[in-house]
Amino acid sequence: MKFTDSPVIDLTVNGTKLSIQQDNGSMHVGTSVWPCSLILSKFAERWSTLDSSSSTSPNPYAELFDFRRRRGVELGTGCGVAGMAFHLLGLTEIVLTDIAPVMPALKHNLKRNKAALGKSLKTSVVYWNNRDQISALNPPFDLVIAADVVYIEESVGQLVTAMESLLADDGAVLLGYQIRSPEADKLFWEMCDVVFRIEKVPHEHLHHEYAYEETDVYIFRKKAKKVTEEAESESES
């Protein structure tokens, strides 16, 4: 399900309006704005802009959304919604990546929102199975961001490997997720369980205007290497 068929999607993040142009008639899914990018962006806005000192309850994501001196990368950025949103929230060092055919739509939207963003964000062509392209990004990153990227079973292994390769040992993956393919879904969680500690964000922690029943946000952190090796050994035996 796409969020809307409107050719332009407006999203206000931290008081700044983004205007995203999409092309639902394209052959590439990356030229459409999908719900999870909006869900993830507004979840980050809700907690990264919360003033913990004046709040009656602690912010459980205060450390996660402390973007000072942190580097981020978005995989499968598409039209660039989440990457632009995280930039506006303070993650100023971020690289937006996708496959070559999606780049014109991404660059068009970055240019369209340059005044709102205050600068031209970095972009890079990245195919998840291309180790040279992954290395050229100069990992590790403190944050790996991805939204609506699990829909083809054949690419699941490449995606999980890319996430693992790009992420710092003490970093986090922020994933906006919706089931697109039962087969891809099953394989994705099996592979992620070997590599990552998985935390599902409670629905009540999502932004109240951007909390759809079929969409979720997850936080992944790397398992200790010894634990990962033991899990791999058990799966092989």
Side-chain angles (χ1 to χ4, degrees):
M1 182 190 81
K2 293 175 183 174
F3 181 68
T4 175
D5 289 328
S6 171
V8 177
I9 309 297
D10 292 331
L11 183 71
T12 300
V13 179
N14 202 20
T16 299
K17 181 181 174 182
L18 295 171
S19 178
I20 313 297
Q21 194 164 25
Q22 65 174 352
D23 178 8
N24 290 333
S26 163
M27 292 175 58
H28 302 287
V29 294
T31 62
S32 293
V33 174
W34 295 85
C36 290
S37 62
L38 307 175
I39 306 305
L40 184 58
S41 298
K42 297 299 281 187
F43 163 68
E45 179 195 52
R46 176 182 176 183
W47 295 99
S48 66
T49 59
L50 182 69
D51 184 356
S52 300
S53 61
S54 62
S55 177
T56 54
S57 56
N59 180 353
Y61 308 104
E63 186 275 332
L64 179 65
F65 290 129
D66 180 357
F67 295 139
R68 290 172 296 181
R69 298 181 298 279
R70 287 191 170 180
R71 300 172 67 231
V73 61
E74 184 179 11
L75 295 175
T77 188
C79 294
V81 177
M84 284 189 260
F86 274 77
H87 168 77
L88 291 175
L89 293 170
L91 187 63
T92 53
E93 191 171 348
I94 184 171
V95 186
L96 280 55
T97 73
D98 213 315
I99 60 175
V102 178
M103 280 292 142
L106 172 60
K107 291 183 177 180
H108 170 75
N109 277 303
L110 289 174
K111 184 177 181 180
R112 180 183 176 94
N113 290 277
K114 187 174 180 180
L117 297 168
K119 62 179 284 190
S120 296
L121 302 192
K122 295 177 183 177
T123 65
S124 185
V125 172
V126 171
Y127 290 79
W128 299 334
N129 63 344
N130 190 312
R131 293 184 180 181
D132 290 338
Q133 291 175 346
I134 295 289
S135 297
L137 293 172
N138 193 27
F141 289 87
D142 303 294
L143 287 171
V144 175
I145 300 161
D148 248 324
V149 290
V150 182
Y151 50 90
I152 301 174
E153 188 177 6
E154 290 75 13
S155 68
V156 166
Q158 301 167 10
L159 172 61
V160 176
T161 299
M163 287 177 170
E164 182 182 14
S165 300
L166 290 167
L167 188 64
D169 289 343
D170 59 350
V173 175
L174 279 165
L175 176 70
Y177 191 80
Q178 182 173 347
I179 297 177
R180 301 292 180 188
S181 157
E183 295 79 14
D185 175 73
K186 181 175 183 294
L187 180 61
F188 178 71
W189 293 112
E190 286 175 354
M191 296 190 73
C192 283
D193 188 55
V194 174
V195 181
F196 300 112
R197 292 181 286 114
I198 300 167
E199 175 188 349
K200 183 178 180 179
V201 172
H203 247 245
E204 58 268 25
H205 286 187
L206 302 180
H207 191 286
H208 68 280
E209 293 179 4
Y210 290 83
Y212 305 112
E213 187 177 344
E214 66 271 26
T215 57
D216 288 295
V217 171
Y218 291 88
I219 302 166
F220 296 172
R221 299 185 190 274
K222 279 187 176 179
K223 288 183 176 179
K225 211 147 200 169
K226 184 178 179 182
V227 174
T228 303
E229 289 170 354
E230 288 174 353
E232 289 175 342
S233 176
E234 288 177 6
S235 66
E236 290 171 1
S237 60

